[in-house]
Amino acid sequence: MKKPSRAPFYTIIGILALFGLITAWMRHVQMEIPFTPGVQKPVWLIEARIDFDATGEPITARLGLPDNPPGFRSFSEQAAAPGYGYSVVTENAVRRGEWSKREALGPQTIYYKTQFIDVQDEVAVATQLEQPQAAHVDWDGPSQETAAQQVLDTALARSSNPQSLTRELIKQFNNDNLDQNAALLLSAQTDRSALIEKLVNQAGIPARPALGLYLEDARRHQSLSRLVQVYDGKEWVLFNPATGEQGVPENLLLWHTGGESILDVAGGNRSRVSFSMIHQTVPALDLIKAQYKESAFSVLSIQHLPIEEQSMFKLLLLLPMGALVVVFMRIIIGLKTSGTFMPILIAMAFLQTSLVLGVVSFVTVVAMGLVLRTYLSRLNLLLISRIATLVVLVIFIISALSLIGYQMGFNTGMTITFFPMIIIAWTIERMSILWEEEGPKEVMVQGGGSLLVAVLAYALMQLSLVGHLTFNFPELNLVALALIMLMGQYTGYKLSELRRFRAMVDNVEKGNVEKKGAES
């Protein structure tokens, strides 16, 4: 008779393993969940403080907010201003926080806090929707216009593109020996960034102001630095007019771009804004919960459940790992246990107690149960009544051990109540029958095998890496399922059975040697 093909079975195994691995990888890529526990990520906590004097009129305060600054990603923001209404509005593609109040008088303080993740290693994607145009430039008087044109002509002769033109203009204004034209322009406009912006726009190249915050840990009362952005035909390029540096430094947070003012206050005067910052590290998993609330993986994530349910699932998702150990030890190794999956439940109890305390408690409960079971056998009770009696006695034994442990100062003794009492009662019953039929040796073999498998399952399940992967990547349990099914097809010799054939192999080898000696 032709054996059925195993191709469908191995196809199912491959699909389960690939689906689990691919889904875990997609979750890792899209939600940035690390594959190892305890990963910390650097975070900048930045606080903007707005101070002004209210005049007793209705107040509206607007602050320009950062929007996807290069090299950073915002994952939380909040405002603190008692008595003020707050909302985020977008005007001319600029995000602004708006605080409002019907009436206030005297000094006012408003706080805006935000947290940024450093993502310098990520590739920024340009989102320029339309081609910007150079702004029209006006100068105060013919002398400034002539000086500006001469400065621009000199820079144009020494440059070949928008970047080099901007660098040449910055060099002229930062030169220790200023020429007359540059000195004239600086005397009328001391802000170099505004001069650079106007000259670049006069050359027909779009340019705009930008405000950046240089990040330094534990700094207070910092102000924004004025910078210039120049459009090179593809993207906006940042320049520092004071140093000539091109590009966005790693420690610069681009807070505001464009010609809009950073702070507008109606109903108050003497307004000002300052910044404080702290660099800290937070668990990567906490950031993921805050960033990816709308992700498909996040919606299906266990982290959305209440904490009580999360704790339950964290233990349940470890069961496939325990089952994998049991299947391997029984099918491949050939170890005998008392009950098929009782070691998994014992290992789960060990997770709630501790290994040493759990082993001592388990052995004590079973030993005392066997003694009581020996007495019950003399009463000739029916099976159901005998098992029910054992359950009650096991409950009393565990309760007594817990109370004794507590009185002796072992607070962890109370946790042995996590042992599966019904399963232990059945284990005692089976061991007692096994003792009567096979003798104490077989009881020791199966009982010791159960305890060994439970310890091995506990050793795997208590690893922080295993707990992290099974909880944050539950689809990896499909890989464990594939391995369990694959081992279920194994029909060869178990490793423990090889000992039975050791003597036969030795006799065959000895016979072959003697035969060769006789022939020679």
Side-chain angles (χ1 to χ4, degrees):
M1 182 177 178
K2 187 178 179 180
K3 291 184 179 181
S5 175
R6 291 191 176 183
F9 172 76
Y10 290 120
T11 301
I12 294 174
I13 294 297
I15 291 174
L16 287 174
L18 283 176
F19 181 79
L21 292 173
I22 292 174
T23 306
W25 178 257
M26 291 175 61
R27 189 187 296 269
H28 167 72
V29 172
Q30 293 190 12
M31 296 187 64
E32 299 181 359
I33 300 178
F35 282 124
T36 55
V39 175
Q40 302 278 326
K41 282 196 172 183
V43 170
W44 283 98
L45 174 60
I46 300 175
E47 178 184 84
R49 172 173 173 166
I50 303 171
D51 294 290
F52 61 92
D53 293 331
T55 58
E57 302 174 357
I59 296 174
T60 301
R62 293 184 175 184
L63 175 69
L65 305 181
D67 188 15
N68 297 322
F72 297 90
R73 184 195 306 150
S74 174
F75 72 92
S76 71
E77 58 181 4
Q78 57 182 339
Y84 281 81
Y86 173 73
S87 60
V88 177
V89 297
T90 303
E91 297 179 352
N92 300 324
V94 177
R95 291 179 69 246
R96 301 180 75 85
E98 181 176 289
W99 292 265
S100 57
K101 193 174 185 180
R102 178 62 61 182
E103 182 179 356
L105 182 64
Q108 304 290 310
T109 300
I110 294 174
Y111 292 96
Y112 168 79
K113 297 180 180 180
T114 181
Q115 288 182 298
F116 285 95
I117 310 171
D118 190 336
V119 290
Q120 302 290 341
D121 53 341
E122 293 186 5
V123 178
V125 179
T127 58
Q128 185 66 37
L129 300 179
E130 58 183 15
Q131 187 76 12
Q133 302 295 324
H136 178 70
V137 177
D138 290 323
W139 299 97
D140 296 335
S143 59
Q144 287 191 24
E145 185 174 353
T146 302
Q149 189 60 50
Q150 290 183 6
V151 170
L152 185 59
D153 290 341
T154 302
L156 286 170
R158 300 175 180 175
S159 62
S160 59
N161 53 41
Q163 292 95 324
S164 57
L165 171 63
T166 306
R167 288 195 298 268
E168 290 300 324
L169 288 172
I170 294 174
K171 288 179 183 178
Q172 291 191 56
F173 287 109
N174 289 340
N175 196 337
D176 294 335
N177 298 320
L178 292 175
D179 61 16
Q180 294 181 353
N181 297 314
L184 176 62
L185 294 176
L186 282 175
S187 63
Q189 174 62 270
T190 58
D191 189 351
R192 286 181 171 83
S193 62
L195 279 176
I196 301 296
E197 176 194 341
K198 294 179 69 173
L199 289 169
V200 173
N201 276 299
Q202 184 171 328
I205 300 173
R208 66 185 184 186
L211 295 174
L213 184 65
Y214 283 94
L215 302 177
E216 187 177 351
D217 188 24
R219 300 290 293 179
R220 303 173 58 199
H221 307 300
Q222 301 298 295
S223 58
L224 297 171
S225 300
R226 189 175 177 89
L227 308 166
V228 176
Q229 280 188 320
V230 177
Y231 193 72
D232 65 352
K234 296 181 180 180
E235 61 180 354
W236 290 99
V237 182
L238 187 70
F239 290 90
N240 188 332
T243 63
E245 182 180 11
Q246 177 180 331
V248 182
E250 292 187 357
N251 66 328
L252 177 69
L253 174 67
L254 201 58
W255 187 276
H256 184 70
T257 58
E260 298 283 343
S261 60
I262 183 65
L263 177 63
D264 294 319
V265 176
N269 50 39
R270 299 176 60 189
S271 61
R272 56 201 176 275
V273 59
S274 60
F275 297 85
S276 302
M277 63 205 73
I278 296 177
H279 187 252
Q280 52 190 190
T281 57
V282 298
L285 292 177
D286 292 348
L287 297 183
I288 292 163
K289 295 176 185 178
Q291 291 183 88
Y292 300 102
K293 294 181 180 179
E294 305 301 327
S295 171
F297 285 107
S298 179
V299 173
L300 300 176
S301 177
I302 298 174
Q303 283 87 346
H304 278 283
L305 297 174
I307 299 298
E308 184 178 356
E309 279 73 13
Q310 287 188 41
S311 301
M312 178 188 67
F313 272 101
K314 192 168 187 178
L315 289 176
L316 288 179
L317 290 172
L318 288 173
L319 285 176
M321 295 295 105
L324 183 64
V325 173
V326 172
V327 172
F328 177 78
M329 295 300 295
R330 294 203 58 169
I331 295 179
I332 306 300
I333 303 299
L335 198 65
K336 294 182 179 180
T337 61
S338 178
T340 306
F341 290 104
M342 188 268 287
I344 302 179
L345 302 177
I346 300 301
M348 294 289 289
F350 288 169
L351 290 175
Q352 303 297 318
T353 60
S354 64
L355 182 59
V356 175
L357 176 64
V359 170
V360 172
S361 302
F362 175 74
V363 172
T364 304
V365 171
V366 172
M368 295 178 67
L370 284 174
V371 173
L372 294 174
R373 170 62 177 77
T374 302
Y375 175 74
L376 290 177
S377 63
R378 301 176 183 177
L379 301 179
N380 296 323
L381 299 176
L382 295 176
L383 176 63
I384 297 177
S385 177
R386 188 167 63 243
I387 294 299
T389 303
L390 275 178
V391 170
V392 175
L393 292 176
V394 166
I395 292 175
F396 278 109
I397 293 171
I398 292 178
S399 301
L401 290 177
S402 299
L403 292 174
I404 292 172
Y406 179 76
Q407 294 296 331
M408 294 177 64
F410 299 104
N411 293 332
T412 54
M414 297 295 292
T415 60
I416 66 174
T417 55
F418 284 100
F419 281 116
M421 300 181 186
I422 306 299
I423 301 300
I424 290 181
W426 269 107
T427 300
I428 294 172
E429 174 68 18
R430 291 184 60 180
M431 285 186 175
S432 178
I433 296 175
L434 189 65
W435 189 301
E436 296 173 356
E437 296 179 352
E438 302 291 339
K441 180 180 179 181
E442 191 64 22
V443 172
M444 296 299 295
V445 169
Q446 293 192 17
S450 299
L451 196 58
L452 176 59
V453 174
V455 171
L456 292 177
Y458 163 81
L460 178 64
M461 295 161 66
Q462 62 87 32
L463 292 176
S464 58
L465 177 61
V466 173
H468 173 82
L469 291 176
T470 55
F471 183 72
N472 295 288
F473 301 94
E475 55 274 2
L476 288 179
N477 281 322
L478 294 177
V479 180
L481 175 61
L483 292 175
I484 291 173
M485 295 176 64
L486 191 61
M487 286 188 289
Q489 287 284 314
Y490 179 73
T491 56
Y493 288 113
K494 298 176 175 61
L495 295 180
S496 59
E497 292 177 339
L498 296 179
R499 297 177 56 190
R500 295 162 50 191
F501 301 97
R502 181 72 177 270
M504 183 180 68
V505 173
D506 291 341
N507 291 332
V508 171
E509 292 179 351
K510 183 178 180 181
N512 291 335
V513 171
E514 293 176 352
K515 183 178 180 180
K516 289 181 180 179
E519 291 177 352
S520 61

